[in-house]
Amino acid sequence: MSCMKFHSHDHAEHIPPASQGKILFKNCTIFDGINEQLDTGQDVLVEKNLISKIVPTGSTSFDNIDTILDCEGRTLIPGLIDCHWHSVVAALDMASLMNSDMTYIGIVAGCAAKETLLRGFTSCRDLGGATFGLKKATDNGTIEGPRIYPCGAFISQTSGHFDFRPPNYVPSNPGDSLDYLQRNGMMLVCDGVPEILKRTREVLRMGATHIKIAGGGGVASQYDYVDVSEFRLDEVKAAVDCAKAWNTYVCAHVLTDAAIRTCVEAGVKTIEHGNLASRETLELMKEKDPILNDEDAIPFPPGSPQQEKFEYVTNGTIATAKMAKEIGVKMAFGTDILFDKKLADKQGRFLSKMPKCGFTPYEALKMATSTNAEVLKLCNQRDPYPHALGVVQEGAYADLILVDGNPLEDLDLISQPKEKFIAIMKDGKLHKNMFE
């Protein structure tokens, strides 16, 4: 099988950062992202943007080391991965998003990207928004931020979860121009198989690593109800088949049992949320092998329709997560933070709460590292980052966090990045170094 590639300015490959030379993490305890057993007394050598050697401390003499970090037994873990992140809309309130020009939105998103990285999240799967420019700016070093696996625009049906058009925009005419957010790739509204095929292909053309659709009603949306099933089976299958032709996959925002079944039957690979799934549907998900992605709290005005929907949905979250674990459904970790900078600043706290859903600190950390990396890699040939992520292994990307303490014993350390993350490295570059 032969493969041809072409690259435009929007499809540029990842460019490693300017080398900081050889960096040695000396005498560290390693959580490799996979195994619960920690490896003590290890040296980790980073060259360019990769982990080149992991050896017992003192067993090898390294030459020409530019920077030595004496970890004194502290825990070195893989960079964290958020599998349901919104790079553009996490730090903006809804009113600002709806009424600001894209230059302002981009500047806010760029500033927020560095803050995300300094919370220890070195990679994210972005699940909706105009992120292609932000990804390009982080890849080429214009700004600091996590790796981004972008889906581009949310794809929604009319009156679906991602239909953010003004209230009086319907009825629409075939000749109407796209509204501002659609023109700038924040979301796209389409109906029927031909339209969903066109929009899916357009988003893939822009550089999406995967596709995000609305499979059912949601909480933050204005015009739908939680119980609504949205795209029909033939529409979802059209998006799935289109993505499959590009060697990638579709993920779906979906909450209710009926809508989950439609998406799973159509071949959707990851179910985002799934809060109201039944045991029978979870069994089907295990058979089909998608991945359930949890969500957490977003504040809505007291008494608002969104708050009522949120309370209804989240009543099922913990029970569903525990049942999914019991059945053996694969689960990934994601925060799904929207429209609230203060909440975005607490990104790590969402991970530290996983024991409430029945997960041990080890299970939570594995989920947020190597398991989430498996999700990132579902995009196959569309993967812009070819080396391993979410692990501390030779040959993997040097995405590393040095933690003051053992997060497998105290997961709350993850929620204190300013105090407890001594060093944060992404792509072989130290973005935080408290040794200096």
Side-chain angles (χ1 to χ4, degrees), residues 157-160 163-174 176-177 179 182 189 191 223:
Q157 69 173 38
T158 295
S159 193
D163 184 351
F164 297 137
R165 293 174 297 175
N168 298 319
Y169 199 82
V170 295
S172 61
N173 296 307
D176 288 346
S177 62
D179 64 281
Q182 289 195 82
V189 176
D191 299 290
Y223 309 119

Side-chain angles (χ1 to χ4, degrees), residues 66-83:
D66 297 282
T67 303
I68 297 177
L69 305 179
D70 188 350
C71 302
E72 298 181 330
R74 294 184 179 95
T75 308
L76 192 69
I77 69 172
L80 301 172
I81 300 170
D82 193 327
C83 249

Side-chain angles (χ1 to χ4, degrees), residues 317-393:
T317 301
I318 293 177
T320 300
K322 289 181 177 179
M323 185 163 51
K325 179 184 175 182
E326 174 193 335
I327 291 170
V329 179
K330 288 185 178 179
M331 287 181 283
F333 168 77
T335 56
D336 191 25
I337 294 170
L338 295 167
F339 314 132
D340 193 313
K341 184 183 183 305
K342 290 182 179 179
L343 196 60
D345 291 340
K346 300 175 182 178
Q347 190 175 9
R349 287 184 60 184
F350 288 72
L351 180 57
S352 70
K353 294 177 182 179
M354 290 300 288
K356 293 183 178 180
C357 293
F359 298 92
T360 67
Y362 160 68
E363 290 169 333
L365 272 182
K366 183 176 184 291
M367 195 183 295
T369 52
S370 63
T371 301
N372 275 6
E374 291 180 37
V375 181
L376 299 183
K377 297 297 182 177
L378 287 173
C379 61
N380 299 312
Q381 286 94 326
R382 304 288 73 77
D383 188 352
Y385 310 108
H387 297 286
L389 290 165
V391 291
V392 182
Q393 293 178 350

